[in-house]
Amino acid sequence: MARNTTRTGRRRRVLNEEVLSASNITAYTGKGDSNVEPGDTPRYGAGANIENHPQVTSFVPRRFRTLCLFGLAGISVAVVAELIAYYAQPLSDLAKVVSPAELTDALSNRPIAWMSATVLLLTVGYARLVFSLRRHRVDDYRGRYRVWRTAGWAATLLSINAVVALHPLIARYLGSLVEWQLLPEGAGWWLVPVTLAGGWLMIKVMIEAAECKAALALYLLASVCLAVSGAHSAGWSPNWAAALPEVMSRSLPLVGFTFLLVGSQLFARYVILDVQGLIEHSAPIAEQPNEASKVGERAPSNQQPVPSIEEDEPATQSSWVDGSEPETDYEEQPTRRLSKAERKRLRKQKSRNRAA
């Protein structure tokens, strides 16, 4: 009874606020005024203005438990899908109208494919966010931030291929053209270029994310998962993995993609905190002077120090501040007694002046 009363009171308050808002808008626009033009009536409050919208960086998880939930979600889908594939026969006997192959395809292969595509698309978004922030770093003289744009395009292609699964078809077609199968079932025709391009890109990304140790660790785990899956596709899987062929080629890539997503989220979080100045960095080490400069700076012991002009001649304040010509005070100049030669030369000059 008390809950119903509380809910009724809340509804009345909401209705009262809406009525007051509508009356204020009507009073503001002057509904009966013929000068009001269509489109002048505000339909949203101040809370819907653009300055109150959430920013893109608001979608980066800040708490580690949220990041753990993202990782557990991807791994859980892989585990549940593999359990359904493993017990497909008992479940088919229970349903009696669905074959094990149909059950595996509907509840195992498709969920993993769509989950992989979703995880990779989220990775594209975080890679693009890191690229938009990292390109403004002032000490990146080599332009290493461009690797995040390339990583975003690569994740987009992988997301499309996760649903369409074009790589075995392309490998089979290329093998039929040259009449030579590279690795079992022509897997080498897609595995070799993907390994070369993907390995180079992962190395560049890990070098870029080396400042964030947690992101670097997750990128390493993702590389291991994808490398093991690729080795299984090439027929190089160990004996213990022969009993679980679908796990290696179906669920292990999803686990690797999940590690890529969480690693990208961690590095995006690191970059945002770094932009805000919340991460401390060690001061840059000053360059040591070379031997030539040391020799130049080393003065001989018997050489007297050269006095500087500033030390010998004290600075005096100039009185020329009004733009006029500076005045020379001859009276303040020190006087000395003329020598005999100077007096004789002066008398000769006076006699010449009189003759002229």
Side-chain angles (χ1 to χ4, degrees):
M1 190 69 180
R3 290 184 178 179
N4 295 334
T5 306
T6 305
R7 292 177 181 175
T8 304
R10 289 178 180 175
R11 291 174 182 174
R12 288 178 179 175
R13 285 197 299 270
V14 171
L15 289 175
N16 291 336
E17 291 176 358
E18 291 179 353
V19 170
L20 290 174
S21 177
S23 62
N24 290 336
I25 291 174
T26 304
Y28 172 75
T29 57
K31 191 172 180 181
D33 192 359
S34 59
N35 296 327
V36 177
E37 297 181 358
D40 290 344
T41 304
R43 300 182 63 187
Y44 297 92
N49 294 339
I50 190 170
E51 59 270 11
N52 298 323
H53 293 176
Q55 298 180 356
V56 179
T57 54
S58 302
F59 297 98
V60 177
R62 298 297 198 278
R63 299 181 179 180
F64 286 102
R65 62 183 180 184
T66 307
L67 296 169
C68 293
L69 288 177
F70 274 95
L72 289 175
I75 297 174
S76 300
V77 171
V79 171
V80 172
E82 289 302 327
L83 288 176
I84 292 175
Y86 185 78
Y87 293 103
Q89 185 62 44
L91 292 175
S92 177
D93 296 338
L94 184 63
K96 297 181 181 180
V97 292
V98 182
S99 64
E102 293 175 346
L103 194 63
T104 302
D105 183 67
L107 298 180
S108 182
N109 295 337
R110 294 180 185 176
I112 288 180
W114 285 106
M115 189 65 182
S116 299
T118 304
V119 167
L120 288 169
L121 285 178
L122 289 175
T123 306
V124 173
Y126 289 109
R128 182 64 186 178
L129 175 61
V130 172
F131 170 76
S132 64
L133 295 176
R134 276 285 291 107
R135 64 179 180 175
H136 298 290
R137 185 165 168 175
V138 295
D139 59 347
D140 190 3
Y141 303 109
R142 298 183 179 180
R144 294 184 301 178
Y145 65 92
R146 297 187 184 94
V147 69
W148 295 105
R149 181 173 55 189
T150 308
W153 285 111
T156 304
L157 294 177
L158 288 176
S159 176
I160 297 173
N161 186 73
V163 179
V164 182
L166 285 176
H167 59 284
L169 302 179
I170 295 175
R172 196 178 306 168
Y173 176 72
L174 293 176
S176 64
L177 285 179
V178 299
E179 297 182 356
W180 180 59
Q181 298 295 331
L182 183 61
L183 298 179
E185 298 181 359
W189 293 108
W190 66 267
L191 187 59
V192 171
V194 168
T195 302
L196 294 176
W200 172 82
L201 186 60
M202 280 300 301
I203 292 174
K204 298 284 286 185
V205 168
M206 285 189 289
I207 292 175
E208 178 68 12
E211 295 181 3
C212 183
K213 304 302 181 183
L216 179 60
L218 287 172
Y219 283 142
L220 287 173
L221 289 175
S223 301
V224 170
C225 293
L226 296 177
V228 171
S229 178
H232 173 75
S233 301
W236 300 336
S237 57
N239 296 328
W240 59 266
L244 302 171
E246 297 296 332
V247 175
M248 306 296 291
S249 60
R250 178 176 53 199
S251 298
L252 198 58
L254 174 58
V255 176
F257 296 152
T258 303
F259 287 147
L260 281 179
L261 171 62
V262 181
S264 301
Q265 290 175 333
L266 275 171
F267 190 67
R269 174 181 178 274
Y270 175 86
V271 171
I272 293 172
L273 295 178
D274 194 13
V275 170
Q276 296 174 353
L278 301 178
I279 295 180
E280 296 182 357
H281 297 280
S282 58
I285 302 175
E287 296 183 358
Q288 298 293 335
N290 52 17
E291 295 297 330
S293 61
K294 290 182 179 179
V295 173
E297 292 175 358
R298 198 178 298 133
S301 58
N302 57 355
Q303 184 177 358
Q304 297 297 329
V306 179
S308 61
I309 299 176
E310 289 80 0
E311 294 177 355
D312 293 344
E313 299 179 2
T316 57
Q317 185 177 3
S318 176
S319 60
W320 187 29
V321 295
D322 58 350
S324 62
E325 292 294 332
E327 297 179 356
T328 305
D329 191 0
Y330 295 100
E331 297 178 357
E332 295 181 0
Q333 294 182 357
T335 60
R336 64 180 179 87
R337 188 175 181 179
L338 297 177
S339 63
K340 186 177 181 180
E342 290 176 350
R343 290 196 300 269
K344 186 178 180 180
R345 196 181 308 116
L346 185 58
R347 284 195 299 268
K348 289 181 179 181
Q349 186 177 2
K350 290 181 178 179
S351 62
R352 292 194 197 99
N353 292 336
R354 291 193 199 101

